[in-house]
Amino acid sequence: MSRLTEKRIILGVTGGIAAYKACDLTRQLIRAGACVRVVMTRAATSFVAPLTFQALSGNQVHLDLLDTEEESAMGHIRLARWADLILVAPATADFMARLRAGSAGELLDAVCLAAEVPVALAPAMNRAMWYNPATQENAAILAERRVHLLGPDKGMQACGESGFGRMMEPIELCQALEAIFTEKTLAGCSVLVSAGPTRESLDPVRYLTNRSSGKMGYALAQAAINAGAKVTLVSGPVLLEPPKEAIVVKVETAADMFNSVIGLASGHDIYIGTAAVADYTPAQVEEGKIKKHDEALTILLNRTRDILSAVAGLPSRPFTVGFAAETGHLEAHAKEKLESKGLDMIAANWVGQPEGGFDRDENALWVCWPGGEKYLPMASKQNIAIQLIELISENYSAQKNTT
Ligand code: PMT
């Protein structure tokens, strides 16, 4: 279940070219289970017709502060009280200035002024307008007043210039809202996550690897950030964009990953070993490309060092969580790994099945710790990550309270 499920969100749309992206944003919020009411400024209606938002949100679009029918019942106050959160996307420079000044001349301004729930802005404007000292000062003051500023992003702009000022993408905005709604159970904690595959070179052009995409580990890093943790992500080669707030250490081989994780682990409260680390590496890396002289080729492989066991054996060890990727006897193998590696918790998943595991968007986990277990049924990796982080937070706090 997404953190946005059944959340009541007012989506404020102001008059900028990025208003068209608010259509997709509405769809994505609805898909995540939120109930959305759209409030448009007069200028916004020049970019997108209210009917579009009405169709996408399934609710009447609110436009006028002086709508006599609505205002006889104090529409702007009612709207502000209805919402769990107000997101203004796009938020123009003009809207930010009005919000800073406490203006109530438009319905959206009045709703924001009357709000007692979190207000988030996704600024979108030309890069020079964003960097103008007036806008920067408005942004700083709004942030001081605990308005959440989401973005802007850097990139090509509608005006043809390039720089900071692009509205964050709808998917990223949904993730940011999820973070706002997440209880900060890991506030003040540091979490080290390993993710992705490793690559073991055979020669300058070939390597041994596995099917890990990094999706599970990256989702865990994001979920830990949303829960208030400072996150370091040690990542094997993947094609994913890491969470913006994470410190990222990129590695290639199992030995690189071992060195990075061991170097960092004692400085963290929690280690989560999601990476699919190679168990074996070629005994020798050929200097030149291996030629196909013979019918068969034998390659000698040596065992790699086990990162999880080494972390769990550190004198000042973090709360250590391992993963187990299994094709049979899932619970028995996971329990054996929990004990033999001296872990605090293990999350086991089936691999090689039609659903879940390597390189899929969804996963299911059987989580086990000394004295407890829980099954997390098949769901998106983002969702599974939220649930696993909750379990980790509970067990980590319980352990801390008993020591
Ligand atoms: O990346 P995705 O495509 O999203 O896929 C997610 C995943 C399937 C890779 C992930 O959910 C998962 O199962 N990760 C662990 C994969 C694995 O290597 O499992 P294992 O059972 O072989 O290893 C057990 C544990 O030992 C793992 O935590 C692993 O990180 C760790 N290990 C293994 C070898 C080694 N040399 N050092 C280690 O620390």
Side-chain angles (χ1 to χ4, degrees):
M1 204 165 79
S2 157
R3 299 257 177 225
L4 300 181
T5 306
E6 291 179 9
K7 287 286 182 292
R8 291 175 299 193
I9 294 173
I10 289 184
L11 175 60
V13 184
T14 68
I17 183 65
Y20 79 91
K21 283 194 192 174
C23 300
D24 189 29
L25 177 58
T26 309
R27 282 182 51 231
Q28 301 221 22
L29 289 169
I30 298 277
R31 201 178 298 156
C35 181
V36 179
R37 288 190 174 189
V38 178
V39 178
M40 299 178 79
T41 62
R42 271 187 299 275
T45 61
S46 301
F47 290 89
V48 182
L51 199 56
T52 307
F53 286 111
Q54 185 172 313
L56 291 170
S57 69
N59 281 314
Q60 178 203 340
V61 173
H62 304 268
L63 298 165
D64 289 317
L65 183 59
L66 299 179
D67 179 329
T68 45
E69 221 172 86
E70 289 249 329
E71 280 305 308
S72 59
M74 304 293 280
H76 63 287
I77 306 291
R78 260 208 336 214
L79 268 173
R81 295 292 165 269
W82 171 84
D84 294 314
L85 178 138
I86 299 171
L87 167 65
V88 182
T92 58
D94 182 56
F95 178 76
M96 289 175 68
R98 298 202 312 262
L99 191 61
R100 183 235 169 129
S103 157
E106 283 233 25
L107 177 61
L108 182 59
D109 306 33
V111 170
C112 289
L113 202 59
E116 292 175 327
V117 292
V119 175
L121 305 184
M125 63 199 75
N126 165 269
R127 57 163 190 89
M129 291 170 79
W130 172 248
Y131 278 120
N132 188 292
T135 309
Q136 288 297 302
E137 192 183 295
N138 291 338
I141 287 182
L142 290 170
E144 251 173 51
R145 292 181 194 158
R146 297 187 174 274
V147 171
H148 299 267
L149 289 179
L150 312 178
D153 272 347
K154 193 177 175 188
M156 203 59 199
Q157 305 199 289
C159 54
E161 295 180 7
S162 177
F164 277 96
R166 273 174 68 87
M167 188 174 104
M168 273 170 71
E169 292 304 319
I171 183 88
E172 293 171 337
L173 287 172
C174 288
Q175 284 165 1
L177 295 198
E178 293 223 15
I180 293 173
F181 283 120
T182 302
E183 213 186 312
K184 304 294 178 244
T185 51
L186 290 178
C189 291
S190 52
V191 177
L192 178 62
V193 181
S194 73
T198 59
R199 276 182 190 167
E200 310 302 317
S201 286
L202 285 163
D203 67 13
V205 293
R206 303 180 181 97
Y207 52 78
L208 300 177
T209 190
N210 58 65
R211 297 179 193 276
S212 171
S213 62
K215 287 178 187 171
M216 192 67 247
Y218 277 49
L220 278 161
Q222 185 64 61
I225 289 166
N226 293 354
K230 281 208 169 95
V231 170
T232 308
L233 179 60
V234 177
S235 175
V238 298
L239 298 171
L240 304 174
E241 200 56 47
K244 285 193 180 109
E245 303 87 342
I247 298 169
V248 183
V249 179
K250 294 201 171 166
V251 297
E252 187 157 315
T253 64
D256 292 343
M257 192 169 272
F258 184 97
N259 292 333
S260 295
V261 170
I262 297 302
L264 290 162
S266 294
H268 287 76
D269 299 305
I270 298 171
Y271 171 61
I272 311 175
T274 321
V277 188
D279 291 323
Y280 291 91
T281 189
Q284 188 179 327
V285 182
E286 297 299 331
E287 268 180 34
K289 185 179 166 198
I290 300 169
K291 293 290 179 194
K292 50 173 188 282
H293 296 305
D294 302 320
E295 278 308 306
L297 176 69
T298 304
I299 296 168
L300 182 67
L301 302 175
N302 287 337
R303 274 287 287 272
T304 56
R305 286 182 292 175
D306 194 276
I307 304 170
L308 260 183
S309 309
V311 170
L314 287 170
S316 144
R317 63 177 257 174
F319 184 90
T320 308
V321 183
F323 263 73
E326 307 295 344
T327 52
H329 307 290
L330 181 109
E331 296 186 9
H333 285 318
K335 266 194 178 146
E336 194 276 318
K337 282 177 184 166
L338 178 81
E339 280 158 25
S340 66
K341 298 193 185 200
L343 310 177
D344 296 299
M345 186 178 264
I346 194 150
N349 46 197
W350 289 98
V351 292
Q353 305 264 333
E355 281 188 308
F358 286 103
D359 202 15
R360 298 277 194 277
D361 289 333
E362 74 288 343
N363 206 6
L365 292 177
W366 180 73
V367 189
C368 170
W369 58 93
E373 60 178 59
K374 187 160 184 183
Y375 179 63
L376 308 179
M378 194 65 70
S380 72
K381 283 186 174 165
Q382 283 73 19
N383 206 305
I384 289 288
I386 292 170
Q387 297 181 65
L388 181 58
I389 288 294
E390 270 171 16
L391 281 178
I392 292 172
S393 311
E394 283 166 23
N395 281 269
Y396 167 69
S397 308
Q399 193 189 76
K400 232 172 71 171
N401 291 337
T402 53
T403 51

